[in-house]
Every structure is written in structure tokens, then in C-alpha cells.
Amino acid sequence: MEDTRPQWTPAASVRKKTACAECRQQKMRCEGDPSTVDPPVCLRCRRLRIPCVFSVPFKRTHKRKRLQELEEETTALKRRLLSGSPAAPGNPLRRDTSPSRQEEDNDVSRIPTTTIIRRNEPSADNDPTLSRAIDGLELTPSSIDDCFELYFKDYHSMLPILDPSATPNTFYQHAPFLFWVVVSIGSRRYTRLPTLTQALALPVTQLALQSIIVRTKPIERMKGLILLLNWPFPSGPFYHDSSFLLAGTLLHMAMQYGLHAPTFSQEFSKTYINLLEQEPVRRAEMWAYVVITYQRTCSSSGQANLVSFEIYNEQIQFKTLLEKLPVTLQIQIQISNIVTRAHKTLLDLGLLSMTTQQERTMDALLKGFITELDSLENLASSSWDRLYIASARQDLVAMHFYKSATTLDLQSCMLIFNATSSVLEQVQDLDKDYGLHRICTRFLLMVILFSLASMARILKGPFAGCLDQIRGYNLFDNGVRFSRSCSVQKADFGERGAAFAEQIWKSKKVFRNPDGSINITLRVRNRLSGGPLHDAIRCWKDEFFDPKYMHSAPSTDIETGIPSSATAGLDATLAPRLVPNGALSSFSAVPEILLNDEIWGDLGLGLGGNWDGAESSLSWMA
């Protein structure tokens, strides 16, 4: 019987279809047709909005190889970043001693950069420092030694929580995160490697985040966070300070380890701990540093403190341990207690809208808290203690700005002026004696910005004629210069804060109502002592922020250094020629830096767009 089934034969016109390069790379089906003169874009490339290319000599790229190439490229870019200043051939990490920043203030440029006093320099046979690398960035032994020397010579005395006799190798072997934090802080003024701090910012911050989930050596990890919160990496367009978030992490780490109950540490450990006689005191001291650092970070961010020593001071054992701490630390503990209690009391009183009786109550409460601070003056044994007391006093008297325009009287303005002047004068003296601008902590820099915001508001207010304006102008000028001298790298928070203060001072519209009348009360009502600064930021944004130019508005006149009675509304005017040493008249033009709305990420502002649940793809309810 004849087989009638059709025999299949390949047609001459049938050919294998060629896919585009992107679909071949991803091994996806392609609907494109390369046989046409003008091949249409395939559906996948059209959806992804990428070029649809048909290429016969195609070779698939190996993903792992591509990742390796990207890692090598990143490493090469980091090495090129460190080669910003002249280097010896073949060794990009050895730099000469000439400073790279040509625009540093005279005070900064006069600092000797080549003389580094060794702590306990080991011999060649006694634990020589080894080179270390982080995320493809390698440091030579000499650079590591120099950074450690700078840290212990300049910064250690302000926060003595480390052992100066320990070698860099010991730090690295026992606590790599703490090792890199010390190197980072020491590199802030290390002119042989001027870009080292910037290069370490991201990898060391990643180490800080990784230290949260590590369960070994908690004390060393907490010490690293304490140091990083006091001397964070300089912020810039691509790096924002995350101190406020890390401060909460530090506090919870300390509580998880049982530092808040030093005599009951066994209850927070998996195994029984046989505590030595001095161990509870050491733990109480560490807890004090944790709480003080946390509270200062909150205060400098305009946030309320959520914890204080009073919760645990009711324990008799804890009180006994606190009495054994150094006097300076005890003073700082008492300062933190007073400020925390004051903030809580005022929040309970209500700052959003106060009646006349509530304002009188606030005056009485503030007077009592300030009296407590004044009693600490007798215990202060150093100029540093007096500075912290003065900053706390300024923190409290600034609350008078929350009064209404009709009740903010001359007496309140005098209190604010005197407290702010005291802070600026003490900072000026400490900078002259100890070079404070070189070792300034985040908290002290924020205190200066608070002072500048308060001083500008007072000197542009209705009672400026009753104040010592020459003193105020000179102190404001010195505060701006100090903030700029604290700058570690171009356009960081110190330099941008100084430029912001200059713009606020030269403005003719700030602290005024739409009708032109003076109004130095606050619109920002929930940032406690940070209210004057945050309110000034809001005024600055209303007048100067221009997304297109990112500088002052074209209609703004910033030529006048000191306002006259017609432009600033002062009861008594002061001509620029009467200001000693040319104060304020020597203000330079606002530097060409990125002075836009994003600079306030360091204060917890501008973390994202408007927080609107209606625009979110996730609903509140299931």
C-alpha cells in the first residue's frame, strides 16, 4: 500500500531567525526582523527604552567577568582619588607635606604639617605597623602611624576612651572597625593625604552598619560609634551625615549589653560574668559616654532626648558608681540631666501655642533650670567644662523665642544676647589657646550655628538698639570665620553653614512679616532649642533657594554688610566704619559651592520628598 503521508523537506526559504544583541545577551525571544532595510525595535527593547541593535559578530558578556571589571575600575578610581597631590613614582600613597587646600584660612595654613610626635614608636623588631586595606584602598604603615599620632595628639584628650599605648596592629587585630575610625579621624587634617578622609567615608560607614549585627567585642564597637558620632565624616553632595540614626543604634547596643545596669550585667549575658571590682565603674563610665553622646546628637539635630540618667539614678548602686567617675564627666552628666528635664517640662507645657500664663510659667521654669546650671560653675575646673555649661545655658534661654511677638520683651532678648555672646567668646578663646577649629566636634559646630542664628535674629530685632551692637557684630563675624575654619574639605557642612550665616545676615527680608514689620518669633515650633536655626533655615529657603541657580535670588541685594535703620529696622544704627577691625565689612561673597536645599540633610531635613501616604504604592491598611 502506498504511503500517502507527506514527506517533510526543509524549505529553502526557511532560515534561522537572528535576535537583537540585548535579547541574545539575556537569552530572550526577540520579535525583531533584521532582514528588513530598517529593522523595527523589538518589544523588549521598546519596553526597556534601550537601543535595539542587530549585530552578527555578537559575543555574550560574562556577568561575573563584567562585575570583576567594575570592581577593578572602582579600585583604580579610588587610587586615582588619592593621587590628588604630588606623589613619588610607584607609590601613590606617599605624599609631600605641602597642603593641597589653597583656600584655607590663615589660621589653618599656619598649622605645622610635617612634625608628628610619635607616641611609643616600636622598633623594627617590635611589632612594626603593617599596611592595611579596606575596599580596595591600601594604606602604607607610615600613613597609618601618622593618622594614629594625629588622633592621639589632638583628639584623644576631648574623649579619652581609648588606650594610647596600644599599637595600630593591636587595634586592627581586636577591633578593625575601631581601627578604621581612628584612622579616619586622624586623617581629617592629614595634609599628606588630603583626600583620604573622603575616600574612607563610604567603606567605614559600611563597617559601622555591619557592626550592628556583629555579636563580638561590643565595647570596641560602641567606642567606634561614639568617636564617629563626635567626628563624623565631612558631608557633601554625595555623602550626608547619618549621626542621628547611628546615635539611636548606639544607645540600643549599650542597653542590649547591659551598660545601663552595670551591677546587673549577668542578667544581660548568656553566661555568668564574674565582674572584677572596677568593672562596674568602667561600665558606668561607658554608659555615661553613650548617653551624653546620644543626647548631644539629639540636641544638635533639634530633637527631643528619649532617655536620661534619671531613669536609672533611682538605683542606689548606680548612684554610687556615678560618684566614682571623673569630675569632668560628672559635670557633663549633670548638664545633660538639666537640659533633658527642661526639654521634657517645656514640651509638657506646650510650645505650639502658649497663653500669657503659660509663657510666665515658662519664664519661671527656665529661671530655675538656669540656676541649676549656674551652680555647676563652682565645680568646673577647666575652660571646656565652662563651655559646655555656657552652651547648655544658651540652649535654655533660646526657648524665649517661642514667646509671642507682644511678650518677647527686652529682658528676654538681653538674656539671649548675653548667653549667645558668652558661647562665642569662649569658643574664640579656646580656638586661640587650643586650636579648637582643628578638633571641633559635631556638637560644638552645631552650637556655633545655633549661636549665629540666634545672634542674627537678635541684632535684626526690635531691641537691637539697646544691645552692645559692636560686640555682637564682632562675635558674629568671628563665629562665621570659626565655622569656615572647621571645614575639613571643600563645601562640607562647616563651610556651607558659614555661607548660610552670611546670606542670612546680608538679607533685607529675613525675620520680617510680609508687610515689612519686624518679627523675630518662631514659625518652627517643635525643634526645641534648635528652633531658631531651623526657623532661619525656613526663612533662607523662602528667600534664597532657587532650584535653577542654587544661589541667592537675582533680586536680593547682598552688598550691605550692616543694615541701616531703613533696611533692617534697628532702633539705633551703626555705620560700617565704626565697627572695629572691619568686622562684617570683610565678609566675602558667598562662595561658589553647592548651597542649595540639600545641604540640610545633616540636620535630618530633606531625607526625601513629601511624606504622603496617598502617593505611596503601599496602603496603611490591609
Side-chain angles (χ1 to χ4, degrees):
M1 184 176 178
E2 185 179 357
D3 187 3
T4 60
R5 289 179 298 178
Q7 300 293 327
W8 181 84
T9 57
S13 61
V14 177
R15 60 178 180 79
K16 185 177 181 180
K17 189 175 180 180
T18 303
C20 69
E22 183 63 25
C23 292
R24 294 174 69 182
Q25 170 65 30
Q26 303 298 332
K27 296 184 179 180
M28 303 292 291
R29 182 179 178 180
C30 183
E31 292 81 4
D33 187 2
S35 61
T36 60
V37 178
D38 188 10
V41 179
C42 68
L43 295 178
R44 184 173 181 275
C45 292
R46 184 183 297 114
R47 185 178 72 255
L48 298 177
R49 298 182 179 180
I50 58 178
C52 187
V53 180
F54 292 89
S55 176
V56 176
F58 171 78
K59 183 178 181 181
R60 180 174 288 106
T61 303
H62 199 284
K63 293 183 179 180
R64 292 185 179 179
K65 182 178 180 181
R66 179 55 180 162
L67 290 176
Q68 182 180 0
E69 291 176 353
L70 290 175
E71 291 178 357
E72 294 176 355
E73 182 179 357
T74 303
T75 302
L77 290 174
K78 288 181 179 180
R79 293 184 180 276
R80 290 179 59 186
L81 181 64
L82 283 176
S83 61
S85 57
N91 189 357
L93 292 180
R94 289 188 178 275
R95 304 282 182 259
D96 60 12
T97 59
S98 58
S100 63
R101 291 191 58 188
Q102 301 298 327
E103 300 180 2
E104 288 182 330
D105 293 341
N106 294 332
D107 292 341
V108 180
S109 61
R110 288 199 298 264
I111 297 174
T113 59
T114 57
T115 303
I116 299 179
I117 304 174
R118 299 294 176 186
R119 296 175 291 144
N120 293 315
E121 185 173 8
S123 62
D125 300 329
N126 183 21
D127 193 24
T129 302
L130 303 177
S131 60
R132 305 293 181 183
I134 179 173
D135 198 18
L137 175 65
E138 184 176 357
L139 292 183
T140 61
S142 61
S143 299
I144 295 174
D145 287 336
D146 290 348
C147 290
F148 266 75
E149 294 298 330
L150 288 172
Y151 170 80
F152 282 101
K153 181 172 68 72
D154 295 335
Y155 302 90
H156 173 70
S157 59
M158 294 192 68
L159 202 59
I161 60 176
L162 301 182
D163 181 10
S165 63
T167 63
N169 290 340
T170 303
F171 274 92
Y172 189 85
Q173 292 169 4
H174 291 82
F177 168 56
L178 183 57
F179 167 87
W180 286 112
V181 170
V182 173
V183 172
S184 302
I185 297 174
S187 67
R188 293 166 66 89
R189 301 286 178 175
Y190 186 41
T191 54
R192 295 180 184 176
L193 292 176
T195 59
L196 178 58
T197 306
Q198 183 179 359
L200 290 173
L202 287 179
V204 176
T205 302
Q206 292 174 357
L207 278 182
L209 298 177
Q210 294 173 7
S211 68
I212 300 173
I213 60 177
V214 178
R215 300 187 63 87
T216 59
K217 301 187 181 300
I219 295 296
E220 285 75 7
R221 290 185 284 120
M222 284 184 277
K223 288 182 178 180
L225 287 177
I226 290 174
L227 296 177
L228 196 58
L229 289 171
N230 280 274
W231 293 284
F233 287 101
S235 57
F238 306 106
Y239 182 86
H240 281 175
D241 184 11
S242 57
S243 295
F244 183 66
L245 303 179
L246 291 177
T249 300
L250 170 66
L251 182 68
H252 289 168
M253 288 176 60
M255 296 182 68
Q256 185 180 36
Y257 190 57
L259 292 184
H260 61 293
T263 55
F264 302 97
S265 299
Q266 293 87 349
E267 301 178 7
F268 299 89
S269 176
K270 292 191 299 184
T271 59
Y272 179 80
I273 302 176
N274 187 16
L275 298 178
L276 301 177
E277 182 179 356
Q278 292 298 323
E279 185 64 20
V281 178
R282 292 174 54 191
R283 289 175 176 248
E285 182 177 3
M286 190 67 185
W287 173 249
Y289 281 118
V290 167
V291 175
I292 291 172
T293 301
Y294 166 77
Q295 291 179 344
R296 288 178 179 173
T297 305
C298 290
S299 298
S300 59
S301 300
Q303 301 281 2
N305 300 325
L306 300 182
V307 69
S308 67
F309 286 98
E310 288 190 337
I311 301 176
Y312 308 101
N313 281 356
E314 301 301 327
Q315 305 174 9
I316 300 178
Q317 299 89 344
F318 197 82
K319 277 187 175 181
T320 305
L321 294 176
L322 292 180
E323 294 174 356
K324 297 180 181 180
L325 300 182
V327 177
T328 299
L329 192 56
Q330 292 185 36
I331 293 176
Q332 296 184 37
I333 291 173
Q334 295 185 54
I335 293 174
S336 296
N337 276 336
I338 294 172
V339 173
T340 302
R341 286 191 289 108
H343 285 174
K344 184 179 183 303
T345 304
L346 295 176
L347 286 175
D348 292 340
L349 181 65
L351 297 176
L352 182 61
S353 179
M354 292 189 292
T355 63
T356 304
Q357 181 60 37
Q358 287 176 320
E359 290 183 356
R360 293 174 181 172
T361 303
M362 184 181 70
D363 289 340
L365 292 172
L366 290 176
K367 185 176 181 180
F369 288 123
I370 292 174
T371 302
E372 293 185 43
L373 283 175
D374 293 339
S375 65
L376 296 179
E377 291 281 1
N378 299 328
L379 302 176
S381 58
S382 66
S383 53
W384 298 101
D385 294 337
R386 287 185 284 273
L387 174 61
Y388 289 123
I389 295 174
S391 64
R393 186 182 295 109
Q394 175 187 246
D395 186 296
L396 297 182
V397 299
M399 305 301 292
H400 287 291
F401 280 124
Y402 286 94
K403 293 181 177 180
S404 63
T406 57
T407 56
L408 183 58
D409 53 8
L410 174 60
Q411 183 179 3
S412 299
C413 292
M414 286 289 295
L415 290 173
I416 298 173
F417 178 80
N418 292 332
T420 304
S421 300
S422 176
V423 170
L424 293 174
E425 287 172 346
Q426 293 190 46
V427 167
Q428 182 178 351
D429 294 339
L430 285 172
D431 190 39
K432 186 183 302 181
D433 298 336
Y434 301 100
L436 178 59
H437 69 281
R438 301 182 68 241
I439 57 177
C440 185
T441 62
R442 178 185 187 272
F443 171 72
L444 292 179
L445 178 58
M446 295 306 305
V447 168
I448 292 299
L449 294 182
F450 289 163
S451 302
L452 294 177
S454 298
M455 185 65 76
R457 190 178 297 268
I458 287 295
L459 293 180
K460 287 177 176 286
F463 303 105
C466 303
L467 305 175
D468 188 350
Q469 295 184 65
I470 295 180
R471 178 190 180 195
Y473 295 147
N474 288 333
L475 289 176
F476 188 91
D477 183 28
N478 293 333
V480 171
R481 295 177 185 275
F482 177 82
S483 178
R484 182 171 286 113
S485 66
C486 292
S487 174
V488 177
Q489 69 182 31
K490 186 68 176 177
D492 62 2
F493 193 67
E495 186 170 3
R496 287 176 291 158
F500 156 75
E502 289 183 353
Q503 282 193 340
I504 287 295
W505 176 260
K506 297 176 182 179
S507 168
K508 298 180 181 180
K509 302 177 182 178
V510 70
F511 310 137
R512 286 180 173 273
N513 294 317
D515 60 359
S517 59
I518 299 174
N519 184 9
I520 61 174
T521 58
L522 302 181
R523 293 180 294 174
V524 176
R525 309 289 298 183
N526 199 33
R527 302 310 290 257
L528 298 172
S529 58
L533 175 60
H534 288 268
D535 188 81
I537 293 171
R538 182 173 175 178
C539 296
W540 171 83
K541 290 171 65 178
D542 291 344
E543 180 176 357
F544 292 99
F545 177 55
D546 189 337
K548 181 181 294 185
Y549 301 105
M550 293 184 295
H551 297 293
S552 57
S555 60
T556 303
D557 181 10
I558 60 173
E559 294 180 358
T560 305
I562 298 178
S564 64
S565 57
T567 59
L570 298 179
D571 291 343
T573 61
L574 184 68
R577 58 184 176 83
L578 298 181
V579 183
N581 302 323
L584 295 187
S585 61
S586 61
F587 273 169
S588 60
V590 178
E592 295 294 325
I593 61 178
L594 194 63
L595 191 59
N596 61 11
D597 193 40
E598 294 299 320
I599 70 175
W600 307 114
D602 301 318
L603 296 179
L605 298 177
L607 296 180
N610 292 332
W611 192 54
D612 189 354
E615 297 179 359
S616 176
S617 59
L618 300 178
S619 61
W620 287 94
M621 297 290 194

